[in-house]
């Protein structure tokens, strides 16, 4: 009897452990690397970038390119813009008027967009829950964690999630942006 009880306890324990390891839901995956915290800055700086980067109502999703992602002088499309000095900031926002005061000896401004599809089977980002910058071997990954929905009608069109932030001085131009759904 003790043997049957022990075997059934072991079998039950194995089932519990295996089910705990399964991944049936859309849990967030942790990106390997050291977390680089975004710098909390003056609300005037945040307002400046919100007005210059995000579309109407500060909604971080767009269907087209606009400055700073589209360079009107060269016709170049950039998915990630790193600003490391005031001259670069002025080149990207020439009509900005008064520029925000940022200590570029300590900080970099990252502005980026990453595409997503809006077909019937695709997850559509809805609300940004958090964003985390990871550094691994001098390469950076900015993970954007979004809640999501599925479209009622598939548009089959490329859309973009926009982001911006100020980080401690970035030592590499090797940066990627990924979407994570939670």
């Amino acid at each position: 009897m003790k043997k049957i009880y022990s075997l059934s306890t072991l079998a039950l324990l194995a089932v519990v452990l295996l089910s705990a390891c399964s991944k049936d839901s859309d849990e967030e995956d942790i990106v390997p690397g050291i977390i680089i915290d975004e710098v909390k800055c003056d609300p005037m700086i945040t307002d400046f970038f919100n007005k210059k980067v995000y579309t109407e109502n500060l909604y971080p999703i767009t269907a087209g390119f606009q400055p700073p992602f589209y360079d009107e002088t060269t016709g170049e499309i950039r998915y990630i813009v790193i600003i490391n000095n005031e001259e670069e900031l002025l080149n990207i926002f020439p009509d900005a008027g008064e520029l925000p005061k940022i200590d570029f000896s300590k900080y970099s401004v990252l502005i980026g967009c990453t595409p997503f599809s809006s077909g019937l089977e695709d997850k559509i980002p809805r609300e940004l829950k958090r964003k985390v910058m990871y550094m691994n071997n001098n390469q950076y990954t900015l993970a954007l964690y979004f809640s999501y929905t599925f479209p009622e009608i598939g548009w089959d069109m490329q859309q973009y999630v926009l982001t911006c932030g100020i980080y401690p001085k970035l030592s590499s131009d090797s940066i990627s942006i990924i979407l994570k759904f939670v």
Side-chain angles (χ1 to χ4, degrees):
M1 185 68 151
K2 284 184 181 181
K3 192 174 188 177
I4 293 174
Y5 178 72
S6 297
L7 287 174
S8 20
T9 303
L10 280 174
L12 180 60
L13 182 60
V15 168
V16 168
L17 288 175
L18 287 174
S19 66
C21 293
S22 75
K23 195 168 184 180
D24 293 334
S25 66
D26 291 333
E27 298 170 356
E28 62 188 38
D29 293 330
I30 301 299
V31 177
I34 299 167
I35 294 176
I36 307 296
D37 291 323
E38 183 176 2
V39 175
K40 301 296 180 215
C41 53
D42 185 294
M44 288 176 51
I45 294 173
T46 304
D47 289 345
F48 173 85
F49 287 106
N50 284 344
K51 289 175 186 171
K52 292 295 181 185
V53 174
Y54 296 123
T55 57
E56 294 175 18
N57 301 320
L58 303 180
Y59 193 65
I61 296 176
T62 183
F65 285 104
Q66 60 197 21
F69 306 109
Y70 177 72
D71 186 341
E72 293 175 352
T73 57
T74 65
E76 176 185 330
I77 294 176
R78 309 173 278 208
Y79 290 96
I80 296 175
V81 177
I82 304 294
I83 304 170
N84 279 315
N85 59 53
E86 196 168 306
E87 183 180 331
E88 291 174 355
L89 183 62
L90 184 59
N91 286 338
I92 291 172
F93 302 113
D95 62 343
E98 188 173 334
L99 295 173
K101 299 296 180 212
I102 299 168
D103 185 352
F104 285 109
S105 66
K106 295 180 186 176
Y107 306 117
S108 295
V109 176
L110 176 130
I111 302 172
C113 68
T114 190
F116 68 92
S117 297
S118 56
L120 280 175
E121 301 293 318
D122 298 318
K123 294 177 183 175
I124 304 298
R126 279 290 151 234
E127 181 183 350
L128 180 65
K129 296 298 184 178
R130 67 186 182 112
K131 59 182 173 177
V132 182
M133 172 82 76
Y134 299 93
M135 183 181 75
N136 190 355
N137 295 328
N138 207 29
Q139 295 183 346
Y140 297 93
T141 302
L142 180 59
L144 303 175
Y145 295 87
F146 272 89
S147 62
Y148 65 92
T149 61
F150 289 98
E152 293 177 20
I153 300 173
W155 294 99
D156 216 14
M157 122 179 151
Q158 196 81 353
Q159 292 183 339
Y160 301 88
V161 172
L162 307 177
T163 187
C164 67
I166 298 177
Y167 294 90
K169 197 71 167 178
L170 299 173
S171 60
S172 169
D173 285 338
S174 180
I175 297 174
S176 61
I177 300 174
I178 58 173
L179 294 179
K180 297 283 189 178
F181 295 104
V182 293

